[in-house]
Amino acid sequence: MGRAFIATVLGVSLLFSGCKEDADQSAAAISPPGATKCKSGIERAVKAPTASEATSIYYAECSALFSQAACRDAWSGAAKLPESDQIPQIAEACRKAYCPSLTAFAFEACRDDFKATPTSLTRAWPPLFDAILAREALASAPDVSSSMLVLYARLKQLAAQNPPPATSAVPEAASAVPSASASAPAMGSAAPPAPAGSAQKGALKPSSAKAKP
């Protein structure tokens, strides 16, 4: 699970969260400080010269979004982890933190027997992230999603500019990991952040709360 996987999860998450048009726009819906900090952090992340720096800033700054300490700490900690470990860590911590209060949606990532793999995370993390983002960012959720999409585009650009070095022989274990593009459409939770999200977003970015992210 490398850079392409993280960007894809971030992108897929944002496809879900970016489509959430029914966020509460009432006077009671405020822009939480965490959402403001996340958007500001993403503005810094898109200016980073490398994908590693960009995702580190993203996870560190967007950790403020989450009211659940375990999820928040996982996002903050992901900024210091190798890219391959970022999405798995935040997905595991956040599903345990939020799934008990989201049982009505029957998310795949909330099942007791859920096993985290590149394929299952690409499929199951975005719907859950979308629900979490909608809950935590309130009326700012669409704006946060849009910012994450900008980051996703930047990560794709950096990946194109810095392709992985060619090797004469690819280990069989590496070839067994499906490519991100083969397992999901472009992110948009999340992220990925997550976004990342997949935010994909995701990390990283993130079904949805109306049906997440």
Side-chain angles (χ1 to χ4, degrees), residues 69 87 155 168 176 207:
I87 290 294
L155 291 174
S168 57
S207 64

Side-chain angles (χ1 to χ4, degrees), residues 6-205:
I6 293 172
T8 297
V9 172
L10 178 62
V12 175
S13 298
L14 294 174
L15 282 173
F16 283 105
S17 61
C19 292
K20 184 172 179 55
E21 300 294 340
D22 59 347
D24 185 2
Q25 299 295 327
S26 70
I30 62 173
S31 179
T36 300
K37 183 175 182 180
C38 181
K39 289 188 292 181
S40 176
I42 291 174
E43 290 177 2
R44 289 176 48 220
V46 297
K47 298 174 183 177
T50 67
S52 178
E53 291 178 70
T55 54
S56 291
I57 294 170
Y58 165 66
Y59 286 124
E61 296 299 302
C62 287
S63 65
L65 269 172
F66 308 99
S67 62
Q68 295 298 310
C71 182
R72 182 173 62 248
D73 290 347
W75 274 71
S76 179
K80 305 177 183 68
L81 291 176
E83 292 176 1
S84 60
D85 296 334
Q86 290 170 331
I87 290 294
Q89 170 168 300
I90 65 171
E92 181 65 13
C94 295
R95 77 183 192 91
K96 288 181 177 179
Y98 286 93
C99 283
S101 62
L102 295 170
T103 55
F105 298 103
F107 292 116
E108 178 187 354
C110 290
R111 288 168 42 181
D112 291 339
D113 62 350
F114 178 74
K115 301 297 184 184
T117 66
T119 299
S120 67
L121 285 174
T122 301
R123 179 182 65 246
W125 169 240
L128 177 58
F129 179 74
D130 187 38
I132 295 171
L133 179 63
R135 170 174 294 189
E136 298 289 16
L138 301 177
S140 293
D143 290 338
V144 174
S145 293
S146 295
S147 295
M148 289 180 177
L149 281 172
V150 172
L151 175 59
Y152 168 68
R154 174 59 175 162
L155 291 174
K156 296 290 284 185
Q157 180 186 52
L158 288 170
Q161 293 174 352
N162 302 284
T167 58
S168 57
V170 178
E172 185 174 349
S175 64
V177 179
S179 67
S181 60
S183 53
M187 177 182 188
S189 286
S198 180
Q200 285 189 74
K201 119 240 128 322
L204 281 188
K205 141 127 25 193

